[in-house]
Amino acid sequence: MLDEAKEKLQHHFGYETFLNGQERILHHVMQRQSVLGIMPTGGGKSVCYQIPSLMLPGITIVISPLISLMKDQVDEAREAGIPATFINSSLSYDEMQERMDLLRRGECRLLYVAPERLSNQEFLRQLQSIPVSLAAVDEAHCLSQWGHDFRPAYMEIPRFLSFTGSDTAVLALTATATPQVAEDISHALDIPPDQMVKTGFARENLTFSVVKGQNREAYIVDYVKKRKNQPGIIYANTRKEVEKLWEKLNKEGIAVEKYHGGMEAAERETAQERFVYDEVTVMAATTAFGMGINKSNVRFVLHARMPRNIESYYQEAGRAGRDGDPGDCTLLFSPQDAGTHQFLIDQSHLDEDRKDKEYRKLRQMIHYCHTEDCLQNEMLRYFGEEPQDPCGRCLNCTDNRTLEDVTEEAQMVFSCVKRMRERFGKTITAQVLAGSSNEKIRTLNLHTLPTYGLMKNKTQKDVASFIDFLAAHAYLSLSDGAYPVLMLTNAAIDVLRGTERVMRKETLTAETVSSEDPLFEELRQLRLELAKQHGVAPYMVFSDKTLKEFCRYRPQRESEMMEIKGVGRQKLETYGEAFLGVLQRAAAGEVKS
Ligand code: ADP
Ligand code: ZN
């Protein structure tokens, strides 16, 4: 049985061996046993139901949270030569009939639906004559109230499973599951606890960084400019912020789209498509964007603000590098973000117990931003995994900036905050220290403080950014609310007493990611054209990783091309010739490289 599965893996996907966990999941599924698969993004979850759909007698239904995603999922399967279809509210009655007929005749055995469909009477009536061998629940954490993405419609799934009967195996899949969430999923779908396949969470191709106390906008612009042609997502927390970022990047000449809840559905769809189809490189979005987007060549995910918990962060950041090629995950931290989340939890309608849980998660997120340990390991610990050797890639593992002693300046700021009785915010404090002649300072009589003008050799902006640095490193805390005031923490008091010193690293600047080699660019261009002709997204033609293997091994004929990871039969037939054409020209020295 597994031999046959392996043969399908080679034939349809062009891979010789299974990834960690895939084989164990297939083993359960092919014996019609229910199983919970917890694998990180990019772990190869879809293969775990796509291959069984070709081998099991009845159909495989994939329950997937977003309608907008289904077309992509189906296109991707079809590109690999797997007959698949979806049924959702965008179809007319006749179209739906047609697709049900295909399923009934066994011409198509892989069906994608949204959870809402499972309680549609007409759909259920039609399914009575079609045996369902496997129900795959994608993004299964949506079943859990403790997860960060609870979806009431997912609660329909158990009832649906009792409708299809005991011959239907269940495959629940998710990338984010704390033990609590895993338990909820198993419980809801009746999956025995020993039928859980969990692979490591570590993503060897991702590089995590937390950047603190820097000018946010300037950093983002610089970062994006240094990543020419690299597709990436920038997450912000509010619509307004997304708009601002979009405008700014647009002005800087970057091909950027935006996505947030304030846009029309059609506008959002176009924006998403332009990003997925490589028509723009950057997407500025709220976290409404990207749930399960399958685009595999996202090269960076930049968070302009701290997310509210580590689960959300890992899920969002994990959208980088699904194809296994390098992905950069950077989080820009500023302490106000913590205050905002705190405020939102406060104001929410959650019960006290739930609020406490949310606060705890928030504190863990803040801890992640402050830790000096390996960031990858910090993440693993959160998900209940034993940390490994430090990753050697994250900013904490690689940071070798020199340290500067800034104790004296820090003492000036702290004593000023103290003199101002911890009643003012950053701007006014910076004005006082820089000796501003602002009228408000005089009205408040702050110009008579002994700390007035103490840092007048610096600009007000520099002082403000130094205050940001001190807050980011938890020497100063900020009160909640719309006008946060600065307060001293115990660490600051130690510094004032002279028992602790404050060290600051040089400013961090984004690294330039070297521009691609000309052959890769040429292959990428060809991929874009072919994708347009075939009406699919470029990553569905071949992944970035496969293109890089082309550059490395330079196959010259079909048999050599078949050896490359990611080249299956169908893709070879559809696209092989065109790519071989470029590779042969390169071998003849006609493409610079
Ligand atoms: P997930 O849904 O877990 O995020 P996908 O199913 O989208 O992951 O797969 C991620 C990437 O891994 C895809 O590019 C896919 O082609 C690739 N992949 C899947 N299975 C294998 C395998 N056995 N060997 C190599 N790559 C694989
Ligand atoms: Zn590390």
Side-chain angles (χ1 to χ4, degrees):
M1 189 282 304
L2 276 173
D3 285 345
E4 192 187 340
K6 216 168 209 174
E7 195 206 312
K8 301 256 187 264
L9 181 73
Q10 173 61 47
H11 182 88
H12 292 278
F13 299 95
Y15 302 130
E16 255 172 33
T17 47
F18 285 111
L19 296 174
N20 190 11
Q22 283 178 332
E23 203 161 335
R24 273 181 293 153
I25 291 182
L26 286 172
H27 179 78
H28 285 297
V29 169
M30 293 310 296
Q31 297 190 64
R32 308 283 196 99
Q33 290 170 344
S34 294
V35 50
L36 165 60
I38 305 177
M39 290 163 127
T41 309
K45 289 188 280 299
S46 21
V47 163
C48 300
Y49 53 79
Q50 286 170 336
I51 288 185
S53 82
L54 296 163
M55 296 169 65
L56 292 167
I59 66 165
T60 291
I61 293 189
V62 184
I63 301 154
S64 168
L66 288 184
I67 289 181
S68 58
L69 184 76
M70 279 175 203
K71 187 179 167 295
D72 285 354
Q73 287 173 314
V74 165
D75 283 350
E76 203 176 352
R78 285 199 188 145
E79 283 297 298
I82 298 174
T85 191
F86 64 81
I87 286 183
N88 65 28
S89 50
S90 73
L91 302 180
S92 70
Y93 184 79
D94 287 347
E95 283 170 320
M96 172 171 149
Q97 276 315 327
E98 237 168 72
R99 293 183 183 197
M100 289 310 272
D101 284 342
L102 275 181
L103 292 162
R104 206 168 285 121
R105 289 199 302 269
E107 283 165 32
C108 172
R109 298 219 298 268
L110 184 59
L111 170 68
Y112 289 82
V113 298
E116 288 75 11
R117 179 71 30 184
L118 305 177
S119 48
N120 178 305
Q121 291 309 313
E122 174 60 16
F123 177 66
L124 293 177
R125 196 183 61 76
Q126 302 229 13
L127 261 194
Q128 273 170 344
S129 57
I130 307 173
V132 180
S133 293
L134 174 65
V137 182
D138 210 2
E139 313 282 354
H141 57 274
C142 294
L143 264 164
S144 166
Q145 304 249 20
W146 299 120
H148 55 285
D149 254 329
F150 174 63
R151 299 233 162 175
Y154 265 65
M155 297 314 258
E156 291 295 331
I157 299 174
R159 197 167 344 153
F160 174 73
L161 291 173
S162 53
F163 167 84
T164 58
S166 57
D167 280 348
T168 307
V170 178
L171 168 58
L173 292 166
T174 179
T176 32
T178 52
Q180 164 94 63
V181 173
E183 198 185 306
D184 280 3
I185 298 173
S186 303
H187 182 76
L189 301 177
D190 210 9
I191 300 172
D194 58 339
Q195 269 150 236
M196 175 166 104
V197 175
K198 189 171 176 180
T199 66
F201 262 77
R203 301 261 317 264
E204 310 277 316
N205 59 325
L206 298 187
T207 301
F208 290 95
S209 306
V210 177
V211 173
K212 282 172 262 195
Q214 310 248 347
N215 181 309
R216 199 190 308 269
E217 216 174 75
Y219 190 87
I220 294 176
V221 170
D222 183 47
Y223 178 97
V224 172
K225 281 190 159 172
K226 284 178 170 157
R227 280 159 201 269
K228 206 167 160 257
N229 291 339
Q230 300 237 335
I233 306 172
I234 304 176
Y235 281 117
N237 283 353
T238 63
R239 298 168 185 186
K240 213 169 110 192
E241 212 168 12
V242 168
E243 288 288 342
K244 224 175 115 194
L245 270 174
W246 176 81
E247 215 165 280
K248 178 85 190 162
L249 291 171
N250 215 6
K251 229 184 254 161
E252 297 282 342
I254 287 151
V256 56
E257 267 295 346
K258 60 184 166 176
Y259 189 107
H260 59 69
M263 292 158 60
E264 298 281 337
E267 257 184 301
R268 279 206 303 264
E269 204 175 306
T270 313
Q272 168 158 334
E273 223 171 83
R274 280 169 53 76
F275 178 64
V276 171
Y277 284 65
D278 284 354
E279 281 165 34
V280 294
T281 40
V282 178
M283 172 61 94
T286 58
T287 55
F289 175 76
M291 156 77 116
I293 70 155
N294 274 0
K295 183 177 169 71
S296 72
N297 62 332
V298 174
R299 299 269 69 94
F300 69 84
V301 175
L302 179 64
H303 278 75
R305 301 253 174 209
M306 181 184 76
R308 69 184 194 283
N309 59 48
I310 292 186
E311 278 138 286
S312 312
Y313 182 57
Y314 203 59
Q315 173 111 8
E316 286 152 21
R319 290 178 185 136
R322 282 176 88 123
D323 53 11
D325 249 25
D328 188 82
C329 311
T330 297
L331 191 165
L332 301 186
F333 173 79
S334 100
Q336 289 94 313
D337 303 349
T340 311
H341 287 302
Q342 174 105 18
F343 177 78
L344 289 174
I345 299 171
D346 252 1
Q347 301 295 307
S348 69
H349 296 292
L350 299 171
D351 61 49
E352 286 310 308
D353 186 39
R354 185 70 206 263
K355 273 188 186 173
D356 281 346
K357 285 204 167 75
E358 293 296 322
Y359 287 133
R360 192 166 67 228
K361 286 184 180 183
L362 176 59
R363 279 199 301 276
Q364 284 167 309
M365 183 78 242
I366 297 170
H367 174 76
Y368 172 85
C369 295
H370 286 302
T371 184
E372 305 215 321
D373 290 346
C374 170
L375 292 171
Q376 169 93 66
N377 277 349
E378 200 57 41
M379 213 79 96
L380 296 184
R381 235 175 263 133
Y382 179 83
F383 289 110
E385 239 181 80
E386 281 299 306
Q388 316 170 334
D389 288 336
C391 76
R393 298 180 307 275
C394 73
L395 182 60
N396 288 357
C397 282
T398 56
D399 198 356
N400 51 11
R401 285 175 288 162
T402 47
L403 290 170
E404 186 192 353
D405 190 326
V406 290
T407 310
E408 245 171 73
E409 284 104 320
Q411 284 169 335
M412 294 178 189
V413 174
F414 300 154
S415 58
C416 189
V417 170
K418 204 169 160 197
R419 296 269 179 194
M420 291 166 78
R421 294 169 193 265
E422 301 179 290
R423 277 185 0 221
F424 296 92
K426 178 176 83 179
T427 310
I428 292 202
T429 310
Q431 282 170 350
V432 171
L433 280 161
S436 151
S437 50
N438 189 311
E439 206 175 299
K440 197 161 170 199
I441 304 289
R442 297 195 174 268
T443 332
L444 292 165
N445 217 23
L446 293 171
H447 62 295
T448 58
L449 289 178
T451 52
Y452 178 79
L454 205 55
M455 298 175 91
K456 60 174 178 293
N457 57 342
K458 287 192 183 344
T459 65
Q460 186 188 317
K461 208 171 139 204
D462 283 344
V463 177
S465 98
F466 186 57
I467 293 177
D468 278 341
F469 159 81
L470 293 169
H473 290 80
Y475 290 103
L476 295 172
S477 65
L478 288 150
S479 64
D480 303 335
Y483 301 99
V485 308
L486 293 173
M487 292 170 298
L488 301 179
T489 66
N490 288 335
I493 291 166
D494 290 342
V495 174
L496 274 177
R497 283 207 196 102
T499 55
E500 281 293 334
R501 309 204 67 76
V502 181
M503 306 300 283
R504 186 181 192 177
K505 287 177 178 162
E506 306 164 59
T507 343
L508 194 71
T509 47
E511 250 174 76
T512 304
V513 177
S514 63
S515 53
E516 310 286 1
D517 84 70
L519 178 57
F520 181 82
E521 278 310 313
E522 180 117 357
L523 294 172
R524 225 165 64 97
Q525 209 47 46
L526 172 64
R527 177 176 71 172
L528 191 64
E529 278 159 33
L530 290 172
K532 269 195 194 135
Q533 277 169 27
H534 291 250
V536 296
Y539 75 88
M540 294 176 193
V541 173
F542 285 125
S543 70
D544 279 14
K545 194 169 181 140
T546 300
L547 295 193
K548 293 220 173 114
E549 298 232 320
F550 286 167
C551 293
R552 182 152 167 227
Y553 297 108
R554 315 272 175 123
Q556 297 296 307
R557 55 180 73 88
E558 289 202 350
S559 58
E560 287 168 7
M561 192 165 243
M562 272 302 273
E563 302 279 305
I564 304 276
K565 273 192 198 156
V567 185
R569 254 293 136 205
Q570 168 121 352
K571 289 197 183 172
L572 184 76
E573 272 159 28
T574 326
Y575 304 114
E577 207 181 307
F579 283 93
L580 279 174
V582 174
L583 289 160
Q584 284 158 355
R585 279 202 293 115
E590 289 164 34
V591 178
K592 267 201 297 191
S593 65

